[in-house]
Amino acid sequence: MLLNDAVDRVLRDLESYGRDNDAREGDRARKMLNLERETAELLHILVRSGRRRRVLEIGTSNGVSTLWLAAALQAVGATEPLTSIERDPGKSAQAATNLERAGLASRVTLLVGDATETVAGLDGPFDCVFFDADRWSAPEQLRLLLPKLEPDCLLLADNALSHPQEIAGYIAAVEALPGFGTTIFPVGKGLHVACRP
């Protein structure tokens, strides 16, 4: 089992809430747009098996992927909290509540603001970054993060198959980087994975 019972219970609740909310909500900004469980499980396994310890998430929403990442960091005994950025204060507040419910609040630093501006002010270093917010701005965020990445790092991005035009700039930027191997896992909306060993 990948998760303990407390975390899994919260995630099951959030999955149900997210499906119901997004089905009835016409305003995209008010949708949760959470990761599908199969994508979240893969994300968790990649972070956990790679023993990542300094992880940045861009796009918290109400905390589904955040919970999976925090649980992976807990499993490997990471001492640094996950850093997660969300531009919507209401969604960040929901994430804080959900992390508290799951017993993982101390393992995450939630930041509220524009992702690109926030990334510019972070110190790093990071050994894993998960891009799951505005796909158009991801190339600029990647550019800002490059000097803040560990030599051995993992870059992950959702929506590689569901929004190919929107994520094309990010994928091109990653694939142009020296020393990175890349692939796309056909799970959920498509998870783009890049690794520099």
Side-chain angles (χ1 to χ4, degrees), residues 36-84:
E36 297 82 2
R37 181 165 276 252
E38 61 183 353
T39 308
E41 288 174 344
L42 177 58
L43 187 77
H44 177 92
I45 288 169
L46 289 170
V47 170
R48 188 169 173 171
S49 64
R51 302 195 66 77
R52 302 294 155 180
R53 295 182 173 274
R54 296 289 307 266
V55 179
L56 171 64
E57 175 185 44
I58 301 174
T60 314
S61 186
N62 62 335
V64 168
S65 53
T66 315
L67 285 162
W68 281 98
L69 289 168
L73 289 173
Q74 181 179 50
V76 300
T79 56
E80 293 288 333
L82 166 70
T83 300
S84 187

Side-chain angles (χ1 to χ4, degrees), residues 19-196:
R19 281 191 300 270
D20 293 346
N21 176 80
D22 291 5
R24 70 173 179 271
E25 185 57 65
D27 181 358
R28 180 177 171 80
R30 297 173 64 88
K31 293 184 181 227
M32 296 299 113
L33 302 171
N34 297 138
L35 278 185
E36 297 82 2
R37 181 165 276 252
E38 61 183 353
T39 308
E41 288 174 344
L42 177 58
L43 187 77
H44 177 92
I45 288 169
L46 289 170
V47 170
R48 188 169 173 171
S49 64
R51 302 195 66 77
R52 302 294 155 180
R53 295 182 173 274
R54 296 289 307 266
V55 179
L56 171 64
E57 175 185 44
I58 301 174
T60 314
S61 186
N62 62 335
V64 168
S65 53
T66 315
L67 285 162
W68 281 98
L69 289 168
L73 289 173
Q74 181 179 50
V76 300
T79 56
E80 293 288 333
L82 166 70
T83 300
S84 187
I85 304 169
E86 172 57 47
R87 68 180 171 194
D88 183 328
K91 288 183 179 177
S92 185
Q94 289 180 50
T97 298
N98 294 327
L99 287 160
E100 190 69 42
R101 286 176 57 208
L104 291 171
S106 66
R107 297 201 163 266
V108 181
T109 300
L110 295 172
L111 303 176
V112 178
D114 175 82
T116 304
E117 292 175 7
T118 305
V119 161
L122 296 177
D123 292 329
F126 299 102
D127 63 8
C128 178
V129 181
F130 177 45
F131 294 88
D132 193 24
D134 171 23
R135 291 168 287 277
W136 299 109
S137 61
E140 176 62 11
Q141 292 156 14
L142 175 64
R143 184 188 71 78
L144 292 166
L145 284 167
L146 283 176
K148 305 172 186 184
L149 297 178
E150 296 278 11
D152 171 10
C153 67
L154 181 66
L155 302 175
L156 307 163
D158 195 30
N159 305 115
L161 297 177
S162 63
H163 296 77
Q165 291 80 21
E166 292 179 25
I167 201 171
Y170 167 82
I171 291 176
V174 173
E175 293 183 350
L177 296 174
F180 278 86
T182 67
T183 191
I184 295 175
F185 286 91
V187 296
K189 295 182 175 74
L191 186 69
H192 186 272
V193 177
C195 184
R196 180 173 64 190

Side-chain angles (χ1 to χ4, degrees), residues 5-24:
D5 289 342
V7 176
D8 192 57
R9 275 195 301 273
V10 173
L11 281 166
R12 298 282 179 188
D13 288 348
L14 293 179
E15 288 164 2
S16 177
Y17 167 75
R19 281 191 300 270
D20 293 346
N21 176 80
D22 291 5
R24 70 173 179 271

